[in-house]
Amino acid sequence: MEVLDGILKEELNRLNKLKKEYEDKLKKLPKGSLIKKEIKKNIYYYLNYRDGKKSVFKYLGKLDKEEISRIKNNIDERRKLRNLYIHTRENIKKLKKMSNEK
């Protein structure tokens, strides 16, 4: 039984480290979506995200194709990392129940 407890604790430590890495990476990436608005035949870009219950439109200005592509890629990467983060958090809860930790 001690071997099993040791394995569970090692896996729990690994998942906690992974969770921390995901949190750090998520803080660096933009959240929300990229919005394109045409105003007087000029195209402007905004980053739309929620801050609590409030919807925020952060003005980004006129962007070239490279910047648009980079921002979209960062948003997509954040969404993928967010899903991995949620999955890791769920696995941590399961392992804590299995190892009787709180």
Side-chain angles (χ1 to χ4, degrees):
M1 210 49 188
E2 290 180 27
V3 174
L4 185 59
D5 287 338
I7 292 170
L8 289 174
K9 286 181 182 180
E10 283 179 24
E11 182 64 11
L12 189 58
N13 287 336
R14 186 189 72 80
L15 288 173
N16 281 325
K17 288 178 185 177
L18 192 59
K19 179 183 166 197
K20 178 67 176 150
E21 286 177 23
Y22 288 152
E23 288 172 350
D24 293 341
K25 288 179 183 178
L26 285 169
K27 287 178 186 176
K28 296 176 184 176
L29 295 171
K31 59 181 177 178
S33 353
L34 190 63
I35 304 294
K36 177 172 111 174
K37 291 187 178 184
E38 187 174 336
I39 302 171
K40 296 184 181 178
K41 298 184 181 181
N42 291 316
I43 297 176
Y44 301 97
Y45 289 91
Y46 295 83
L47 188 62
N48 181 3
Y49 59 93
R50 294 194 81 58
D51 186 16
K53 293 183 178 181
K54 198 166 130 180
S55 182
V56 177
F57 282 86
K58 182 179 175 185
Y59 176 71
L60 300 176
K62 295 180 180 182
L63 302 176
D64 61 17
K65 290 181 182 180
E66 289 178 13
E67 289 175 296
I68 294 168
S69 177
R70 183 183 52 81
I71 291 171
K72 284 183 180 181
N73 288 338
N74 284 342
I75 291 171
D76 289 341
E77 183 180 346
R78 185 180 204 287
R79 288 182 181 150
K80 290 175 188 173
L81 280 174
R82 178 76 178 146
N83 288 334
L84 291 171
Y85 172 77
I86 291 169
H87 185 68
T88 302
R89 225 177 44 200
E90 291 170 355
N91 286 339
I92 288 172
K93 286 181 186 178
K94 288 178 188 175
L95 280 177
K96 282 185 178 181
K97 283 184 183 180
M98 290 171 66
S99 65
N100 295 325
E101 286 190 16
K102 299 209 176 196

